[in-house]
Amino acid sequence: MDNTNKIIVGISVGDINGIGIEIILKTFEDKRMLDFCTPVLFASNKLISYHKKNLKLNNSIHSINSIDKITHGKINLVNSWKEEVKIELGKTTKIGGKFAHKSLKAATTALKNDAIDILLTAPISKDNIQSEEFNFPGHTEYLEENLEGKSLMILMTDELRIGLITGHIPISQVAETITPELIEAKVDIMHTSLKQDFNINKPKIAVLGLNPHCGDKGIIGKEDDEIIRPTIAKIKDAGKLVFGPYAADGFFGSKTYKQFDGVLAMYHDQGLAPFKALSFGNGVNFTAGLSKVRTSPDHGTGFDIAGKNKANPSSFKEALFTSLQIFKNRKQHKELTKNTLKVK
Protein backbone atom coordinates (compact mmCIF):
# COMPACT_ATOMS: atom_id res chain seq x y z
CA MET A 1 0.00 0.00 0.00
CA ASP A 2 1.23 3.51 -0.84
CA ASN A 3 2.10 5.13 2.49
CA THR A 4 2.73 8.62 1.14
CA ASN A 5 -1.00 9.45 1.19
CA LYS A 6 -1.70 7.94 4.62
CA ILE A 7 -3.70 10.24 6.86
CA ILE A 8 -1.71 10.94 10.03
CA VAL A 9 -3.93 10.82 13.13
CA GLY A 10 -2.57 12.48 16.24
CA ILE A 11 -3.94 11.04 19.48
CA SER A 12 -3.93 12.66 22.91
CA VAL A 13 -4.14 9.96 25.56
CA GLY A 14 -6.51 11.68 27.99
CA ASP A 15 -6.38 11.11 31.75
CA ILE A 16 -3.53 8.70 32.47
CA ASN A 17 -5.56 7.01 35.24
CA GLY A 18 -8.63 6.45 33.07
CA ILE A 19 -9.51 4.17 30.16
CA GLY A 20 -8.07 6.37 27.40
CA ILE A 21 -4.87 4.43 26.79
CA GLU A 22 -6.77 1.13 27.02
CA ILE A 23 -9.23 2.05 24.26
CA ILE A 24 -6.40 3.41 22.11
CA LEU A 25 -4.33 0.22 22.40
CA LYS A 26 -7.38 -2.02 21.87
CA THR A 27 -8.34 -0.05 18.76
CA PHE A 28 -4.98 -0.78 17.17
CA GLU A 29 -4.67 -4.40 18.34
CA ASP A 30 -5.87 -5.33 14.86
CA LYS A 31 -2.94 -4.46 12.61
CA ARG A 32 -5.34 -3.96 9.70
CA MET A 33 -6.26 -0.63 11.31
CA LEU A 34 -2.86 0.62 10.17
CA ASP A 35 -4.05 0.25 6.56
CA PHE A 36 -6.44 3.15 7.12
CA CYS A 37 -4.15 5.66 8.80
CA THR A 38 -0.91 6.28 10.65
CA PRO A 39 -1.54 6.79 14.39
CA VAL A 40 0.71 9.04 16.47
CA LEU A 41 0.34 8.96 20.27
CA PHE A 42 1.57 11.83 22.42
CA ALA A 43 2.70 10.39 25.76
CA SER A 44 5.79 8.63 27.12
CA ASN A 45 7.32 5.18 26.77
CA LYS A 46 6.97 4.36 30.45
CA LEU A 47 3.31 5.37 30.59
CA ILE A 48 2.31 3.27 27.59
CA SER A 49 4.44 0.32 28.74
CA TYR A 50 2.76 0.41 32.16
CA HIS A 51 -0.70 0.21 30.62
CA LYS A 52 0.33 -2.50 28.14
CA LYS A 53 1.73 -4.64 30.94
CA ASN A 54 -1.26 -4.10 33.21
CA LEU A 55 -3.72 -4.98 30.42
CA LYS A 56 -1.56 -7.78 29.00
CA LEU A 57 -1.68 -6.20 25.54
CA ASN A 58 1.05 -6.79 22.97
CA ASN A 59 0.87 -3.75 20.67
CA SER A 60 4.17 -3.02 18.97
CA ILE A 61 4.98 0.65 19.54
CA HIS A 62 7.43 2.70 17.45
CA SER A 63 8.91 5.19 19.90
CA ILE A 64 10.26 8.49 18.55
CA ASN A 65 11.53 11.71 20.10
CA SER A 66 10.62 13.98 17.18
CA ILE A 67 7.43 14.28 15.16
CA ASP A 68 9.38 14.19 11.89
CA LYS A 69 10.49 10.59 12.61
CA ILE A 70 7.01 9.12 12.02
CA THR A 71 6.98 5.70 10.35
CA HIS A 72 3.92 4.60 8.39
CA GLY A 73 2.57 1.13 9.06
CA LYS A 74 3.33 1.40 12.78
CA ILE A 75 1.84 2.85 15.97
CA ASN A 76 4.04 5.86 16.58
CA LEU A 77 4.66 7.27 20.05
CA VAL A 78 6.12 10.76 20.37
CA ASN A 79 7.80 10.98 23.77
CA SER A 80 6.25 14.19 25.04
CA TRP A 81 7.75 14.26 28.55
CA LYS A 82 10.62 12.69 30.48
CA GLU A 83 9.29 12.94 34.03
CA GLU A 84 8.44 9.93 36.14
CA VAL A 85 4.66 9.82 36.42
CA LYS A 86 2.75 8.35 39.35
CA ILE A 87 -0.07 6.24 37.93
CA GLU A 88 -3.08 5.51 40.15
CA LEU A 89 -5.58 3.70 37.97
CA GLY A 90 -9.18 4.60 38.67
CA LYS A 91 -8.33 7.67 40.73
CA THR A 92 -8.77 11.30 39.77
CA THR A 93 -5.52 13.11 40.62
CA LYS A 94 -3.88 16.41 39.76
CA ILE A 95 -1.01 14.45 38.21
CA GLY A 96 -3.51 12.68 35.94
CA GLY A 97 -4.84 16.05 34.80
CA LYS A 98 -1.36 17.56 34.40
CA PHE A 99 -0.20 14.89 31.98
CA ALA A 100 -3.52 14.77 30.14
CA HIS A 101 -2.89 18.44 29.37
CA LYS A 102 0.74 17.78 28.36
CA SER A 103 -0.46 15.17 25.86
CA LEU A 104 -3.21 17.43 24.51
CA LYS A 105 -0.88 20.43 24.22
CA ALA A 106 1.75 18.43 22.31
CA ALA A 107 -0.87 16.97 19.96
CA THR A 108 -2.52 20.36 19.36
CA THR A 109 0.86 21.94 18.58
CA ALA A 110 1.56 19.20 16.03
CA LEU A 111 -1.89 19.78 14.52
CA LYS A 112 -1.32 23.53 14.22
CA ASN A 113 2.04 22.88 12.56
CA ASP A 114 0.51 20.42 10.05
CA ALA A 115 2.72 17.60 11.38
CA ILE A 116 -0.49 15.58 11.84
CA ASP A 117 -3.69 15.76 9.81
CA ILE A 118 -6.35 15.01 12.43
CA LEU A 119 -6.71 15.16 16.20
CA LEU A 120 -8.39 12.30 18.08
CA THR A 121 -8.75 12.95 21.81
CA ALA A 122 -9.19 10.37 24.56
CA PRO A 123 -11.33 11.45 27.55
CA ILE A 124 -10.10 13.95 30.14
CA SER A 125 -11.40 14.79 33.60
CA LYS A 126 -12.74 18.33 33.28
CA ASP A 127 -12.06 18.77 36.99
CA ASN A 128 -8.48 17.65 37.56
CA ILE A 129 -7.10 19.09 34.30
CA GLN A 130 -7.85 22.64 35.44
CA SER A 131 -4.71 24.75 36.00
CA GLU A 132 -3.19 28.12 35.15
CA GLU A 133 -2.40 26.70 31.69
CA PHE A 134 -5.73 24.95 31.16
CA ASN A 135 -8.71 27.06 32.21
CA PHE A 136 -11.44 25.74 29.92
CA PRO A 137 -14.69 23.78 30.47
CA GLY A 138 -13.47 21.07 28.06
CA HIS A 139 -11.70 20.09 24.85
CA THR A 140 -14.05 22.09 22.61
CA GLU A 141 -13.31 25.44 24.19
CA TYR A 142 -9.56 24.72 24.43
CA LEU A 143 -9.35 23.87 20.75
CA GLU A 144 -11.41 26.90 19.72
CA GLU A 145 -8.85 29.04 21.56
CA ASN A 146 -5.91 27.33 19.84
CA LEU A 147 -7.23 26.79 16.31
CA GLU A 148 -8.90 29.00 13.71
CA GLY A 149 -12.69 29.19 13.52
CA LYS A 150 -15.70 29.14 15.83
CA SER A 151 -16.65 25.78 17.28
CA LEU A 152 -19.85 23.77 17.42
CA MET A 153 -19.99 20.55 19.43
CA ILE A 154 -21.78 17.88 17.38
CA LEU A 155 -22.60 14.45 18.82
CA MET A 156 -23.23 12.07 15.96
CA THR A 157 -23.96 8.62 14.63
CA ASP A 158 -24.82 7.60 11.08
CA GLU A 159 -28.43 8.74 11.50
CA LEU A 160 -28.29 11.47 14.13
CA ARG A 161 -26.22 14.67 14.44
CA ILE A 162 -26.95 16.94 17.42
CA GLY A 163 -25.21 20.28 17.83
CA LEU A 164 -25.39 22.55 20.86
CA ILE A 165 -26.38 26.22 20.80
CA THR A 166 -24.87 26.58 24.29
CA GLY A 167 -22.21 24.18 25.55
CA HIS A 168 -20.53 23.74 28.91
CA ILE A 169 -22.28 26.48 30.88
CA PRO A 170 -24.48 26.33 34.02
CA ILE A 171 -28.18 25.75 33.32
CA SER A 172 -28.91 29.03 35.15
CA GLN A 173 -27.13 30.93 32.37
CA VAL A 174 -28.70 29.22 29.37
CA ALA A 175 -31.71 31.48 28.76
CA GLU A 176 -29.73 34.73 29.01
CA THR A 177 -27.02 33.34 26.71
CA ILE A 178 -29.39 32.46 23.86
CA THR A 179 -29.60 35.41 21.47
CA PRO A 180 -30.61 35.72 17.80
CA GLU A 181 -26.94 36.28 16.95
CA LEU A 182 -25.83 33.09 18.72
CA ILE A 183 -28.56 30.99 17.07
CA GLU A 184 -27.66 32.38 13.65
CA ALA A 185 -23.95 31.70 14.23
CA LYS A 186 -24.49 28.08 15.32
CA VAL A 187 -26.91 27.39 12.45
CA ASP A 188 -24.33 28.77 10.05
CA ILE A 189 -21.56 26.54 11.45
CA MET A 190 -23.77 23.44 11.27
CA HIS A 191 -24.99 24.30 7.76
CA THR A 192 -21.41 24.75 6.52
CA SER A 193 -20.24 21.59 8.26
CA LEU A 194 -23.05 19.46 6.83
CA LYS A 195 -22.04 20.61 3.35
CA GLN A 196 -18.25 20.39 3.57
CA ASP A 197 -17.79 17.63 6.16
CA PHE A 198 -20.71 15.35 5.25
CA ASN A 199 -21.30 16.06 1.54
CA ILE A 200 -24.93 17.13 2.06
CA ASN A 201 -25.77 19.73 -0.61
CA LYS A 202 -29.02 21.09 0.86
CA PRO A 203 -28.98 20.26 4.56
CA LYS A 204 -32.18 20.28 6.58
CA ILE A 205 -31.69 21.50 10.14
CA ALA A 206 -34.12 21.27 13.07
CA VAL A 207 -33.90 23.66 16.01
CA LEU A 208 -35.27 22.63 19.40
CA GLY A 209 -37.18 24.99 21.67
CA LEU A 210 -35.89 26.17 25.04
CA ASN A 211 -38.92 25.82 27.31
CA PRO A 212 -41.25 22.84 27.85
CA HIS A 213 -43.70 22.65 24.92
CA CYS A 214 -41.79 25.57 23.35
CA GLY A 215 -43.30 27.87 25.95
CA ASP A 216 -46.97 27.04 25.24
CA LYS A 217 -47.60 30.49 23.70
CA GLY A 218 -45.81 32.29 26.49
CA ILE A 219 -47.39 30.49 29.43
CA ILE A 220 -44.13 28.61 30.27
CA GLY A 221 -41.66 31.21 29.02
CA LYS A 222 -41.41 33.78 26.26
CA GLU A 223 -38.00 32.97 24.73
CA ASP A 224 -39.35 30.54 22.13
CA ASP A 225 -41.82 33.07 20.70
CA GLU A 226 -39.75 36.22 21.14
CA ILE A 227 -36.24 35.00 20.25
CA ILE A 228 -36.09 31.53 18.73
CA ARG A 229 -39.09 31.47 16.37
CA PRO A 230 -38.39 34.87 14.71
CA THR A 231 -34.71 33.98 14.30
CA ILE A 232 -35.56 30.71 12.57
CA ALA A 233 -37.93 32.57 10.25
CA LYS A 234 -35.20 35.07 9.39
CA ILE A 235 -32.67 32.32 8.63
CA LYS A 236 -35.22 30.45 6.56
CA ASP A 237 -36.03 33.60 4.55
CA ALA A 238 -32.31 33.87 3.75
CA GLY A 239 -32.44 30.50 2.02
CA LYS A 240 -31.43 27.86 4.54
CA LEU A 241 -33.68 24.87 5.24
CA VAL A 242 -34.10 25.46 8.97
CA PHE A 243 -37.21 24.41 10.88
CA GLY A 244 -38.61 24.69 14.40
CA PRO A 245 -38.68 25.26 17.22
CA TYR A 246 -39.61 21.72 18.19
CA ALA A 247 -40.45 20.55 21.71
CA ALA A 248 -37.56 18.23 22.60
CA ASP A 249 -39.60 15.45 24.24
CA GLY A 250 -41.93 14.82 21.32
CA PHE A 251 -39.17 15.42 18.78
CA PHE A 252 -37.12 12.45 19.96
CA GLY A 253 -40.04 10.32 21.14
CA SER A 254 -41.66 10.42 17.68
CA LYS A 255 -38.30 9.93 15.90
CA THR A 256 -38.83 13.22 14.03
CA TYR A 257 -35.04 13.66 14.13
CA LYS A 258 -34.78 11.10 11.32
CA GLN A 259 -36.26 13.67 8.92
CA PHE A 260 -33.30 16.03 9.38
CA ASP A 261 -29.59 16.09 8.56
CA GLY A 262 -28.77 17.99 11.73
CA VAL A 263 -30.42 19.05 14.98
CA LEU A 264 -29.55 22.01 17.19
CA ALA A 265 -30.35 21.72 20.89
CA MET A 266 -30.51 24.79 23.12
CA TYR A 267 -28.37 23.38 25.92
CA HIS A 268 -26.06 20.49 26.79
CA ASP A 269 -28.33 17.92 28.40
CA GLN A 270 -31.28 18.69 26.13
CA GLY A 271 -29.22 17.31 23.27
CA LEU A 272 -26.89 14.83 24.96
CA ALA A 273 -29.38 13.01 27.18
CA PRO A 274 -31.49 11.70 24.28
CA PHE A 275 -28.39 11.21 22.14
CA LYS A 276 -26.69 8.96 24.67
CA ALA A 277 -29.93 7.10 25.37
CA LEU A 278 -30.19 6.33 21.65
CA SER A 279 -26.53 5.83 20.80
CA PHE A 280 -24.28 5.38 23.85
CA GLY A 281 -21.13 3.44 23.07
CA ASN A 282 -21.27 4.03 19.34
CA GLY A 283 -21.46 7.82 19.20
CA VAL A 284 -18.81 10.33 18.23
CA ASN A 285 -18.10 13.85 19.46
CA PHE A 286 -17.04 16.03 16.50
CA THR A 287 -15.91 19.64 16.86
CA ALA A 288 -17.31 21.38 13.78
CA GLY A 289 -16.38 24.87 12.61
CA LEU A 290 -12.63 24.72 13.23
CA SER A 291 -9.81 24.79 10.72
CA LYS A 292 -8.79 21.23 11.66
CA VAL A 293 -10.68 17.98 12.21
CA ARG A 294 -11.09 16.77 15.77
CA THR A 295 -13.19 13.90 17.10
CA SER A 296 -13.46 11.92 20.33
CA PRO A 297 -15.52 9.06 21.77
CA ASP A 298 -18.88 9.91 23.35
CA HIS A 299 -17.95 8.71 26.86
CA GLY A 300 -15.80 9.86 29.74
CA THR A 301 -12.71 8.71 31.60
CA GLY A 302 -14.32 5.53 32.98
CA PHE A 303 -12.42 5.66 36.28
CA ASP A 304 -14.69 2.92 37.70
CA ILE A 305 -13.38 0.36 35.20
CA ALA A 306 -9.88 1.75 34.55
CA GLY A 307 -7.17 -0.89 34.47
CA LYS A 308 -9.65 -3.78 34.61
CA ASN A 309 -9.58 -4.61 30.89
CA LYS A 310 -13.32 -3.88 30.63
CA ALA A 311 -13.30 -0.76 28.45
CA ASN A 312 -15.07 -1.04 25.08
CA PRO A 313 -13.17 0.68 22.23
CA SER A 314 -16.21 0.84 19.89
CA SER A 315 -16.84 4.57 20.30
CA PHE A 316 -13.13 5.38 19.91
CA LYS A 317 -13.01 3.32 16.70
CA GLU A 318 -16.08 5.15 15.42
CA ALA A 319 -14.40 8.45 16.25
CA LEU A 320 -11.34 7.37 14.28
CA PHE A 321 -13.25 6.30 11.18
CA THR A 322 -15.48 9.39 11.38
CA SER A 323 -12.46 11.70 11.51
CA LEU A 324 -10.91 9.99 8.48
CA GLN A 325 -14.13 10.35 6.47
CA ILE A 326 -14.61 13.98 7.44
CA PHE A 327 -11.00 14.75 6.53
CA LYS A 328 -11.52 13.19 3.08
CA ASN A 329 -14.89 14.92 2.58
CA ARG A 330 -13.45 18.30 3.55
CA LYS A 331 -10.51 17.84 1.20
CA GLN A 332 -12.82 16.84 -1.65
CA HIS A 333 -15.17 19.77 -0.98
CA LYS A 334 -12.23 22.18 -1.07
CA GLU A 335 -11.10 20.77 -4.42
CA LEU A 336 -14.59 20.97 -5.91
CA THR A 337 -15.25 24.53 -4.80
CA LYS A 338 -11.87 26.25 -5.22
CA ASN A 339 -12.41 26.93 -8.94
CA THR A 340 -16.11 27.68 -8.80
CA LEU A 341 -16.99 30.37 -11.34
CA LYS A 342 -18.27 33.56 -9.75
CA VAL A 343 -21.56 34.82 -11.16
CA LYS A 344 -21.32 38.55 -11.99
Side-chain angles (χ1 to χ4, degrees):
M1 176 174 283
D2 180 12
N3 285 321
T4 57
N5 293 320
K6 282 279 190 72
I7 299 173
I8 301 173
V9 181
I11 303 172
S12 60
V13 298
D15 196 292
I16 61 172
N17 296 316
I19 61 173
I21 294 172
E22 179 177 343
I23 58 177
I24 293 167
L25 293 175
K26 284 181 174 179
T27 293
F28 292 103
E29 267 189 302
D30 187 341
K31 292 181 179 179
R32 291 175 298 180
M33 295 293 290
L34 300 177
D35 292 338
F36 298 104
C37 66
T38 297
V40 182
L41 280 59
F42 292 84
S44 73
N45 266 325
K46 289 184 177 180
L47 176 64
I48 300 301
S49 296
Y50 179 95
H51 280 267
K52 279 177 58 181
K53 183 177 180 181
N54 178 69
L55 297 165
K56 296 180 173 60
L57 296 174
N58 298 312
N59 305 70
S60 177
I61 306 292
H62 176 59
S63 179
I64 56 178
N65 292 318
S66 175
I67 193 73
D68 59 357
K69 304 297 183 185
I70 290 171
T71 299
H72 295 288
K74 294 185 177 181
I75 306 170
N76 295 267
L77 166 63
V78 178
N79 280 290
S80 304
W81 59 80
K82 295 180 180 178
E83 299 102 309
E84 289 283 342
V85 182
K86 185 179 182 182
I87 302 169
E88 299 180 80
L89 292 174
K91 294 184 179 180
T92 176
T93 68
K94 291 303 292 182
I95 290 175
K98 175 183 176 181
F99 287 92
H101 177 236
K102 279 184 177 287
S103 176
L104 177 61
K105 184 178 179 180
T108 304
T109 299
L111 187 68
K112 289 168 69 175
N113 294 336
D114 295 321
I116 59 177
D117 298 312
I118 289 166
L119 176 60
L120 183 52
T121 60
I124 59 172
S125 164
K126 294 179 178 63
D127 173 38
N128 70 29
I129 198 173
Q130 299 299 319
S131 67
E132 289 185 6
E133 282 192 78
F134 190 101
N135 186 22
F136 301 92
H139 277 117
T140 304
E141 295 81 4
Y142 173 84
L143 293 168
E144 183 177 69
E145 178 77 15
N146 283 276
L147 301 172
E148 294 176 9
K150 292 294 183 181
S151 67
L152 173 67
M153 181 191 294
I154 295 180
L155 274 290
M156 56 170 287
T157 63
D158 288 340
E159 64 172 20
L160 177 59
R161 301 179 191 92
I162 300 180
L164 304 179
I165 300 286
T166 62
H168 295 121
I169 65 172
I171 198 74
S172 61
Q173 296 175 15
V174 169
E176 66 190 44
T177 302
I178 294 169
T179 62
E181 294 77 16
L182 180 63
I183 296 170
E184 288 182 49
K186 296 299 184 180
V187 168
D188 190 56
I189 296 170
M190 174 165 270
H191 188 267
T192 300
S193 179
L194 290 171
K195 292 180 74 172
Q196 75 170 11
D197 299 330
F198 299 97
N199 285 343
I200 300 169
N201 289 328
K202 292 183 178 180
K204 288 178 63 181
I205 299 171
V207 178
L208 302 182
L210 173 63
N211 297 296
H213 311 298
C214 294
D216 251 349
K217 297 182 179 180
I219 296 172
I220 319 176
K222 300 181 185 300
E223 292 88 354
D224 293 274
D225 286 336
E226 295 182 356
I227 298 174
I228 300 171
R229 203 178 303 276
T231 304
I232 292 172
K234 179 184 174 184
I235 297 169
K236 199 170 183 181
D237 287 343
K240 291 186 176 76
L241 299 177
V242 180
F243 304 88
Y246 293 94
D249 54 354
F251 184 82
F252 291 103
S254 63
K255 295 183 170 56
T256 305
Y257 64 86
K258 293 189 175 184
Q259 300 172 22
F260 296 92
D261 301 301
V263 179
L264 282 168
M266 285 294 143
Y267 55 93
H268 187 279
D269 284 14
Q270 184 190 51
L272 268 61
F275 177 83
K276 292 190 175 184
L278 292 165
S279 312
F280 193 74
N282 295 301
V284 174
N285 182 354
F286 165 51
T287 307
L290 300 183
S291 55
K292 303 287 187 178
V293 177
R294 174 262 174 168
T295 62
S296 71
D298 70 352
H299 56 73
T301 51
F303 287 129
D304 57 324
I305 58 170
K308 298 177 181 178
N309 214 354
K310 293 181 178 179
N312 186 335
S314 295
S315 182
F316 191 85
K317 283 183 181 178
E318 287 295 326
L320 172 62
F321 285 124
T322 297
S323 68
L324 295 174
Q325 190 59 56
I326 290 173
F327 181 81
K328 291 173 184 174
N329 289 348
R330 191 175 286 192
K331 189 175 180 181
Q332 183 184 50
H333 183 267
K334 191 174 181 180
E335 289 293 320
L336 291 173
T337 56
K338 71 177 181 180
N339 294 319
T340 303
L341 293 174
K342 293 183 179 179
V343 180
K344 293 184 179 180

